[in-house]
Amino acid sequence: MLEDLEPICLGINMNQTDAMCPDQALLTFAGIFLHFQKHPKSAVAAGMKKWIEKPWKALNQPMFVLALILNPFEGLSHFGDKAAISAFTLNTILLETYRRVRSRPPKTPRSDIAQKKYEEGQQAKEKAVSESFLSYLSSKGPFEDWEQNKGSSLRVHGDNPVTVWRNFLTTLFTAELADFAILLLGMSVNQAGLERNFSDLKIKQSRLRNCLKLERLEKMAKVGADIHASQKDAGYVGGLLAVPQYADLLEANEALSKIEGELSAVQSALVRTREGWRKEMKKWICKEQEQNDDDDDKELPNVVYGHQRSKFLPRSLELLFTGRKESDIDEQIRRVRRHQACTEEGRLMELLVDKEVDKARIPDDGELEGSGDDFEGW
């Protein structure tokens, strides 16, 4: 149970941070999916994989896939053989996404000459992005020596891909691709920061201060953000945001007097008995089953990105990250299973061989019964 909760809790906590980028969010989805794919209970594995695939299908998959590929520390290493990824397919996805991101309507109508000039400029930028992206995938040109120097860059500058792409902004051949990669890798995939801004503005513009103008409200928000950042750098925020554990709440609740305990028993959210936990678990299970039934009735349609339907995406996590490739964890699991599959006869044979090789050895107190001179064979 704890082994199954750990990847889910880590994924939730990671996705709630402001620094969560699309590439790491996709790896979180893939990690949870691969974890439950190897689950010993087939019902749990099938249910969890289905549960993870639903939010992934509703996301803007080209953004996440391109962000993972444009991360020079990750690249194509995490995709499985079933993904059937080719350089030309990825190049088509990149150009479609680039057009959607860069296609902004003009503030004022353009003339025919200005529109033609604009289209020629966009076509030149798309060509530069395509050529540099193909060079990036094939590790040619400016990216030829990246694999050799990746380790030193990781030790000195860390694993931030934006730092790597900033070095390519000064090169004309890779400037447009680097700018687009920095845009994708710098996006935040959650609304935690936005919700904090709403809460902060709600405090500043209260019922008694409802006549604040937008300019003053913006300045107050910036000053508050600067103060929060300085306090975070100084280490003051960590103590303020410390959340007590469940055991601490339980001890504090037990320290109350009987009268206070009786008064607060109705409002207490703590569950102390096994019967209470069973009731809570039954409520959660029923609620989850009802939600799954509703989701099954409302099947998500195929996602259309922009005006053109992507032929490669959307694609399930199973097709993207499963295949013949095995990680070190899978290899370790196979070794453990092979070791557990060793029979009693095999262990006895190993003891006999060891006995013949080293007859002068000192007998072991933990030696198996029947492995010495009393062994009668089969």
Side-chain angles (χ1 to χ4, degrees):
M1 178 64 73
L2 294 178
E3 292 79 4
D4 297 336
L5 290 177
E6 183 179 5
I8 298 177
C9 294
L10 290 176
I12 292 174
N13 290 331
M14 291 171 61
N15 280 278
Q16 288 180 345
T17 60
D18 294 337
M20 193 61 177
C21 301
D23 56 327
Q24 300 303 317
L26 177 54
L27 290 179
T28 303
F29 274 96
I32 298 176
F33 181 87
L34 294 176
H35 172 81
F36 284 99
Q37 189 182 32
K38 300 189 294 287
H39 200 277
K41 296 183 179 180
S42 58
V44 176
M48 290 301 299
K49 288 194 297 182
K50 183 179 179 181
W51 175 73
I52 298 170
E53 289 283 6
K54 285 182 179 179
W56 166 243
K57 185 178 181 180
L59 292 176
N60 192 343
Q61 294 188 11
M63 291 286 188
F64 288 85
V65 173
L66 287 176
L68 180 59
I69 295 173
L70 289 174
N71 186 341
F73 297 102
E74 306 293 347
L76 300 173
S77 59
H78 293 280
F79 294 100
D81 295 336
K82 293 182 179 180
I85 293 179
S86 66
F88 300 104
T89 301
L90 295 177
N91 185 51
T92 302
I93 297 174
L94 175 74
L95 291 177
E96 292 176 357
T97 308
Y98 180 82
R99 293 191 190 102
R100 289 193 293 113
V101 173
R102 298 301 188 188
S103 60
R104 297 180 180 178
K107 296 181 180 179
T108 58
R110 300 190 186 98
S111 61
D112 295 339
I113 299 176
Q115 181 66 24
K116 184 178 180 181
K117 186 177 180 180
Y118 170 78
E119 292 177 357
E120 291 176 354
Q122 287 296 110
Q123 187 175 1
K125 290 181 180 180
E126 291 178 7
K127 182 180 179 181
V129 168
S130 177
E131 292 178 353
S132 56
F133 182 67
L134 292 175
S135 299
Y136 170 77
L137 293 177
S138 59
S139 299
K140 301 294 183 181
F143 311 98
E144 186 175 1
D145 57 346
W146 165 247
E147 290 296 331
Q148 301 175 359
N149 301 310
K150 182 169 63 174
S152 60
S153 177
L154 185 63
R155 289 192 300 270
V156 176
H157 302 288
D159 58 351
N160 188 2
V162 177
T163 305
V164 179
W165 281 109
R166 283 174 181 168
N167 297 323
F168 294 98
L169 288 173
T170 56
T171 306
L172 183 62
F173 180 71
T174 58
E176 195 64 29
L177 178 63
D179 183 67
F180 185 65
I182 292 173
L183 175 64
L184 291 182
L185 294 169
M187 292 190 306
S188 180
V189 295
N190 59 61
Q191 298 180 351
L194 184 62
E195 295 296 335
R196 281 198 300 269
N197 289 334
F198 285 153
S199 300
D200 183 60
L201 293 177
K202 185 177 180 180
I203 295 174
K204 289 181 170 60
Q205 192 174 18
S206 61
R207 180 175 59 85
L208 300 177
R209 305 176 65 184
N210 56 2
C211 296
L212 288 174
K213 295 183 179 180
L214 292 178
E215 296 179 358
R216 181 179 292 274
L217 197 61
E218 182 181 0
K219 293 179 181 179
M220 293 173 63
K222 290 181 179 179
V223 171
D226 293 339
I227 294 175
H228 179 77
S230 61
Q231 291 179 348
K232 184 177 180 181
D233 295 337
Y236 299 142
V237 180
L240 295 176
L241 296 180
V243 180
Q245 297 182 358
Y246 188 86
D248 299 335
L249 293 175
L250 190 60
E251 293 176 358
N253 199 18
E254 290 178 352
L256 295 174
S257 61
K258 294 182 179 180
I259 299 176
E260 293 177 348
E262 292 176 357
L263 294 176
S264 61
V266 180
Q267 300 178 354
S268 178
L270 297 176
V271 181
R272 298 184 177 185
T273 61
R274 294 183 179 180
E275 291 76 9
W277 276 114
R278 292 193 183 99
K279 292 180 181 179
E280 292 295 327
M281 285 295 297
K282 188 175 181 180
K283 293 179 182 178
W284 296 341
I285 293 173
C286 294
K287 185 177 180 180
E288 186 66 23
Q289 289 178 351
E290 292 176 358
Q291 185 175 359
N292 290 335
D293 294 339
D294 295 339
D295 294 340
D296 293 338
D297 297 337
K298 300 177 181 179
E299 191 67 25
L300 290 174
N302 291 329
V303 182
V304 179
Y305 307 111
H307 299 286
Q308 184 177 1
R309 182 185 297 272
S310 177
K311 296 181 180 180
F312 179 75
L313 296 174
R315 182 159 292 202
S316 64
L317 293 170
E318 184 174 4
L319 292 177
L320 286 175
F321 295 99
T322 59
R324 293 192 300 271
K325 293 183 178 179
E326 299 289 346
S327 62
D328 296 336
I329 298 177
D330 297 331
E331 180 64 22
Q332 184 178 359
I333 292 175
R334 289 201 305 272
R335 291 177 182 175
V336 172
R337 289 177 179 174
R338 285 199 300 266
H339 180 71
Q340 293 176 350
C342 184
T343 60
E344 185 70 19
E345 294 179 355
R347 286 193 289 269
L348 291 175
M349 291 298 296
E350 291 178 358
L351 290 173
L352 282 176
V353 173
D354 185 63
K355 182 78 173 180
E356 293 295 329
V357 172
D358 190 7
K359 295 183 179 181
R361 66 180 178 85
I362 300 175
D364 188 7
D365 293 337
E367 193 171 18
L368 290 178
E369 183 179 358
S371 61
D373 297 333
D374 298 334
F375 183 74
E376 298 178 357
W378 294 277

